[in-house]
Amino acid sequence: MIAVPLNDAQREAVEHVTGPMLVLAGAGSGKTRVLTVRAARLVDEHGVDPRHILAVTFTNKAAGEMRARVAQLLDREPGGLWIGTFHAVCARLLRREAAALGFTREFTIYDEDDTEALVRRLVDDLGLPAKLYGARGVRHEISRAKNAMAGPEAYAQEAADPWHANVGRVYAAMGAALKRANAMDFDDLLLHPLALFQAQPAILERWRARFRFLLVDEYQDTNRAQYLLLKALAGDAGNLFVVGDDDQSIYGWRGADIRNILEFQKDFPGARLVRLEENYRSTGGILEAANSVIAPNTGRLGKTLFTRRLGGEPLTVLTAADERDEAEWLVREFADRARRAEHAFDEMAVLMRTNAQTRAFEEELRRRGVPYRVVGAVSFYERREVKDLLAHLRLVVNPADDAAFRRAVAAPRRGIGEQSLETLGRWAAQWGWSLSRAAAAAGRVPELRPKARELLETFAAELAAARAELKDLQPAEALRAIAARTGFEQFLLEEDETGPERAENVAELINAAAAWTEEYGAVLDQSPDGPDGQGEGPATPLPEGAEAEGEGSPIERFLAQAALTTSAETERGEGGVTLMTLHAAKGLEFAVVAVAGLEEGLFPLSRADTPEALEEERRLCYVGITRAKDKVLLSYATARRRGGELRPSQPSRFLDDVPPALIEARVTRPSWGVAREPRRHPRPGTRSLELVVDEMAAAAGISDVTPLFRAGERVRHRRFGSGVIRRVEGRGRDLKVAVEFDDAEVGVKQLLAAYAGLEKAWE
């Protein structure tokens, strides 16, 4: 007898034996317990042979934990029970049925790198230009088609343009090439069993007889192919037991179809529905907020979480001045809680909509010496696209940087292969030249193909032009110009499905450069005497550790800071604050959770422009709130840098759904400026006053971060404090102001207004 404490709803679920059942399991409601107890009871109490049970989940870790729990409940290993991910289960099945599909049992499974290498060869064999048909992008498009159950012929028929038509040619050639290699890619592991079951019903019947009881975890995350596979194995009235939460369906962008769970009872007539609504994780206030946020969604089966936990802190809604102010306040709050021994750092997390948002938090955590870890993403300055664009910037100030040359020449791709670079490198070594200089003389290298010579000389000329035009600019301006010259953003967007997120990281790098200039590089004169001999105080302090790079252009000094930041450790031992995206946080829990960047256009994303996409964004917010056990902090900035410029932001509509009685409001009072009052997002069809002013300024050629300052006005600076404007000259991005600061040690500073971050002091 399996003796495990269960509530009424859990008991109803695990006591179900035959027929289809949907367990709608809310966050923190004990779904894993239900799955494992059901599997153990089928064996222990209903006499089901373990070999007749198939349990499917989405990660190897979850599968391992499920097997261990079942074995613990049974007090023995459940021999013959299949537990694994969809891909692992299908690979195991295909080993036994390989001959029926024309493969041997020893077939190879190609990972993403193997598949991309194959696609690259096929693109070359078909004579398609590699620059337009990058292996990663083509592989992703073929994968998308496979998961949507569109074969090569159907895909080719629906091709709307030459690019998709040529991808169809690669897709068609890919199947034959894999068969010749006795290999399958990840997508084939799901598609081949379906093709086999359709072509040979007797084989399907044999597997139906083997797996008489199907258990599925995270059913809301299944895609079309996985749904069809389960439907085929279960039959019309099979024992299909699925557990999932429609309110946590957040992977539509990678093929998950929420209709699979919403229409389960229609797809499997007579299916029973059990709702697990008692939450064992969060306080009542957190759950009330989560229920309120998700309630406006129409595409849901409906449930209301509750808990027996009494009391708890209110939710904090923070209005910050900008993204750095947001990071400073939240990190200080975490540090205070740790100092008071309320929670350890490893019990705290900052959840964000995009990976790019980690940058401001990483910098502030480092500054305060707070341990942290970045989960589900590489630390900001270690991300490939960030390092690639910085390589271009490094070549602006140091054309002899061969490592930067090798990165820059490959991103964006220019058709210059490794063999050509190796050849160029040998000749450069013989001449005693850098790769940049050798590339300019590529015509003198007889071993290079004529096309390679032309491409290398063109690239060298582009680098020389960039050096001449960009070396004296501020880092953000130079990065923006490089990205535009090279088509860097378009290159990322066309490469694969991660393109939009990687493009956001590039935009955040430009933001980081603009923020650096505001704090360290907006002072136009670093000499103690000043340009007019009147004295402007001491030189602007540099970032910690960058003193050795104090001399040089703004670009050189910014690159020094970036290099030091790159080499810094992102994890200092155990027990750090966790930084992660909301997608990566699903299934986890923390005592204290901050959901940062709750602004229109960021969360929800601006590209969530359909009702379905907006509902998925709302589900993502629900997931974030329900990760917390004790405390939730929701933050937004009244202004955020976009493309290096500070632009006004509107609070997310999701904040409007949190009952005011649950909230304690906090507005930052940064020492460098005046915090604005919280603003609500405009009603549909209206435009905010800030937007109208922004448009007027843009029409006049004036940056929105460059207000019309006048001599005699009082202003505040983030680091220097308050002061009075004594002189104004120029306009737009070239507007310069001389400010006499109240602190006598600071004195008079001449600043670039576009980057200085000055705010008028309304006193």
Side-chain angles (χ1 to χ4, degrees), residues 497-510:
E497 73 276 13
T498 68
E501 183 173 299
R502 294 170 62 209
E504 289 168 359
N505 288 334
V506 167
E508 186 60 22
L509 175 62
I510 297 173

PDB file of all heavy atoms in Angstrom, residues 497-510:
ATOM      1  N   GLU A 497      16.600  31.356 -34.708  1.00  0.00           N
ATOM      2  CA  GLU A 497      15.460  31.794 -33.908  1.00  0.00           C
ATOM      3  C   GLU A 497      15.856  32.666 -32.731  1.00  0.00           C
ATOM      4  O   GLU A 497      15.013  33.345 -32.144  1.00  0.00           O
ATOM      5  CB  GLU A 497      14.674  30.575 -33.407  1.00  0.00           C
ATOM      6  CG  GLU A 497      15.341  29.769 -32.305  1.00  0.00           C
ATOM      7  CD  GLU A 497      16.347  28.750 -32.815  1.00  0.00           C
ATOM      8  OE1 GLU A 497      16.722  28.825 -34.010  1.00  0.00           O
ATOM      9  OE2 GLU A 497      16.760  27.891 -32.033  1.00  0.00           O
ATOM     10  N   THR A 498      17.137  32.645 -32.359  1.00  0.00           N
ATOM     11  CA  THR A 498      17.586  33.486 -31.242  1.00  0.00           C
ATOM     12  C   THR A 498      17.922  34.902 -31.697  1.00  0.00           C
ATOM     13  O   THR A 498      18.316  35.726 -30.866  1.00  0.00           O
ATOM     14  CB  THR A 498      18.826  32.878 -30.558  1.00  0.00           C
ATOM     15  OG1 THR A 498      19.946  32.937 -31.461  1.00  0.00           O
ATOM     16  CG2 THR A 498      18.569  31.432 -30.151  1.00  0.00           C
ATOM     17  N   GLY A 499      17.768  35.185 -32.986  1.00  0.00           N
ATOM     18  CA  GLY A 499      18.151  36.485 -33.528  1.00  0.00           C
ATOM     19  C   GLY A 499      17.565  37.685 -32.808  1.00  0.00           C
ATOM     20  O   GLY A 499      18.298  38.617 -32.453  1.00  0.00           O
ATOM     21  N   PRO A 500      16.237  37.716 -32.579  1.00  0.00           N
ATOM     22  CA  PRO A 500      15.676  38.892 -31.888  1.00  0.00           C
ATOM     23  C   PRO A 500      16.293  39.128 -30.518  1.00  0.00           C
ATOM     24  O   PRO A 500      16.594  40.269 -30.164  1.00  0.00           O
ATOM     25  CB  PRO A 500      14.179  38.541 -31.790  1.00  0.00           C
ATOM     26  CG  PRO A 500      13.926  37.622 -32.935  1.00  0.00           C
ATOM     27  CD  PRO A 500      15.176  36.803 -33.059  1.00  0.00           C
ATOM     28  N   GLU A 501      16.511  38.074 -29.758  1.00  0.00           N
ATOM     29  CA  GLU A 501      17.097  38.243 -28.426  1.00  0.00           C
ATOM     30  C   GLU A 501      18.543  38.701 -28.522  1.00  0.00           C
ATOM     31  O   GLU A 501      18.993  39.545 -27.744  1.00  0.00           O
ATOM     32  CB  GLU A 501      17.008  36.931 -27.657  1.00  0.00           C
ATOM     33  CG  GLU A 501      17.525  37.031 -26.230  1.00  0.00           C
ATOM     34  CD  GLU A 501      17.271  35.761 -25.440  1.00  0.00           C
ATOM     35  OE1 GLU A 501      16.101  35.392 -25.286  1.00  0.00           O
ATOM     36  OE2 GLU A 501      18.258  35.147 -25.002  1.00  0.00           O
ATOM     37  N   ARG A 502      19.279  38.173 -29.483  1.00  0.00           N
ATOM     38  CA  ARG A 502      20.678  38.575 -29.646  1.00  0.00           C
ATOM     39  C   ARG A 502      20.777  40.009 -30.155  1.00  0.00           C
ATOM     40  O   ARG A 502      21.703  40.743 -29.784  1.00  0.00           O
ATOM     41  CB  ARG A 502      21.389  37.595 -30.570  1.00  0.00           C
ATOM     42  CG  ARG A 502      21.509  36.201 -29.963  1.00  0.00           C
ATOM     43  CD  ARG A 502      21.996  35.171 -30.953  1.00  0.00           C
ATOM     44  NE  ARG A 502      23.316  35.504 -31.435  1.00  0.00           N
ATOM     45  CZ  ARG A 502      23.776  35.175 -32.630  1.00  0.00           C
ATOM     46  NH1 ARG A 502      23.003  34.516 -33.471  1.00  0.00           N
ATOM     47  NH2 ARG A 502      24.991  35.490 -32.990  1.00  0.00           N
ATOM     48  N   ALA A 503      19.808  40.416 -30.980  1.00  0.00           N
ATOM     49  CA  ALA A 503      19.778  41.817 -31.411  1.00  0.00           C
ATOM     50  C   ALA A 503      19.508  42.739 -30.226  1.00  0.00           C
ATOM     51  O   ALA A 503      20.043  43.860 -30.158  1.00  0.00           O
ATOM     52  CB  ALA A 503      18.717  42.010 -32.495  1.00  0.00           C
ATOM     53  N   GLU A 504      18.686  42.281 -29.278  1.00  0.00           N
ATOM     54  CA  GLU A 504      18.443  43.066 -28.058  1.00  0.00           C
ATOM     55  C   GLU A 504      19.724  43.210 -27.245  1.00  0.00           C
ATOM     56  O   GLU A 504      19.969  44.250 -26.629  1.00  0.00           O
ATOM     57  CB  GLU A 504      17.349  42.400 -27.218  1.00  0.00           C
ATOM     58  CG  GLU A 504      15.958  42.519 -27.824  1.00  0.00           C
ATOM     59  CD  GLU A 504      14.951  41.620 -27.133  1.00  0.00           C
ATOM     60  OE1 GLU A 504      15.341  40.892 -26.195  1.00  0.00           O
ATOM     61  OE2 GLU A 504      13.777  41.637 -27.536  1.00  0.00           O
ATOM     62  N   ASN A 505      20.566  42.171 -27.251  1.00  0.00           N
ATOM     63  CA  ASN A 505      21.834  42.265 -26.536  1.00  0.00           C
ATOM     64  C   ASN A 505      22.757  43.297 -27.176  1.00  0.00           C
ATOM     65  O   ASN A 505      23.500  43.997 -26.482  1.00  0.00           O
ATOM     66  CB  ASN A 505      22.524  40.893 -26.492  1.00  0.00           C
ATOM     67  CG  ASN A 505      21.831  39.926 -25.561  1.00  0.00           C
ATOM     68  OD1 ASN A 505      21.165  40.328 -24.613  1.00  0.00           O
ATOM     69  ND2 ASN A 505      21.977  38.643 -25.829  1.00  0.00           N
ATOM     70  N   VAL A 506      22.721  43.377 -28.504  1.00  0.00           N
ATOM     71  CA  VAL A 506      23.514  44.398 -29.199  1.00  0.00           C
ATOM     72  C   VAL A 506      23.018  45.789 -28.821  1.00  0.00           C
ATOM     73  O   VAL A 506      23.805  46.705 -28.542  1.00  0.00           O
ATOM     74  CB  VAL A 506      23.456  44.186 -30.723  1.00  0.00           C
ATOM     75  CG1 VAL A 506      24.004  45.404 -31.464  1.00  0.00           C
ATOM     76  CG2 VAL A 506      24.244  42.936 -31.106  1.00  0.00           C
ATOM     77  N   ALA A 507      21.694  45.968 -28.803  1.00  0.00           N
ATOM     78  CA  ALA A 507      21.132  47.256 -28.393  1.00  0.00           C
ATOM     79  C   ALA A 507      21.520  47.577 -26.956  1.00  0.00           C
ATOM     80  O   ALA A 507      21.815  48.736 -26.618  1.00  0.00           O
ATOM     81  CB  ALA A 507      19.611  47.239 -28.545  1.00  0.00           C
ATOM     82  N   GLU A 508      21.565  46.554 -26.102  1.00  0.00           N
ATOM     83  CA  GLU A 508      21.940  46.780 -24.707  1.00  0.00           C
ATOM     84  C   GLU A 508      23.419  47.127 -24.583  1.00  0.00           C
ATOM     85  O   GLU A 508      23.811  47.889 -23.692  1.00  0.00           O
ATOM     86  CB  GLU A 508      21.610  45.548 -23.865  1.00  0.00           C
ATOM     87  CG  GLU A 508      21.830  45.731 -22.374  1.00  0.00           C
ATOM     88  CD  GLU A 508      20.990  46.833 -21.766  1.00  0.00           C
ATOM     89  OE1 GLU A 508      19.941  47.200 -22.345  1.00  0.00           O
ATOM     90  OE2 GLU A 508      21.389  47.346 -20.710  1.00  0.00           O
ATOM     91  N   LEU A 509      24.262  46.596 -25.459  1.00  0.00           N
ATOM     92  CA  LEU A 509      25.670  46.989 -25.459  1.00  0.00           C
ATOM     93  C   LEU A 509      25.806  48.476 -25.777  1.00  0.00           C
ATOM     94  O   LEU A 509      26.603  49.183 -25.151  1.00  0.00           O
ATOM     95  CB  LEU A 509      26.451  46.147 -26.482  1.00  0.00           C
ATOM     96  CG  LEU A 509      27.919  46.537 -26.671  1.00  0.00           C
ATOM     97  CD1 LEU A 509      28.694  46.364 -25.364  1.00  0.00           C
ATOM     98  CD2 LEU A 509      28.556  45.709 -27.788  1.00  0.00           C
ATOM     99  N   ILE A 510      25.035  48.950 -26.742  1.00  0.00           N
ATOM    100  CA  ILE A 510      25.047  50.381 -27.056  1.00  0.00           C
ATOM    101  C   ILE A 510      24.539  51.181 -25.863  1.00  0.00           C
ATOM    102  O   ILE A 510      25.078  52.244 -25.526  1.00  0.00           O
ATOM    103  CB  ILE A 510      24.209  50.651 -28.322  1.00  0.00           C
ATOM    104  CG1 ILE A 510      24.831  49.942 -29.536  1.00  0.00           C
ATOM    105  CG2 ILE A 510      24.081  52.155 -28.587  1.00  0.00           C
ATOM    106  CD1 ILE A 510      23.986  49.997 -30.794  1.00  0.00           C
TER     107      ILE A 510
END
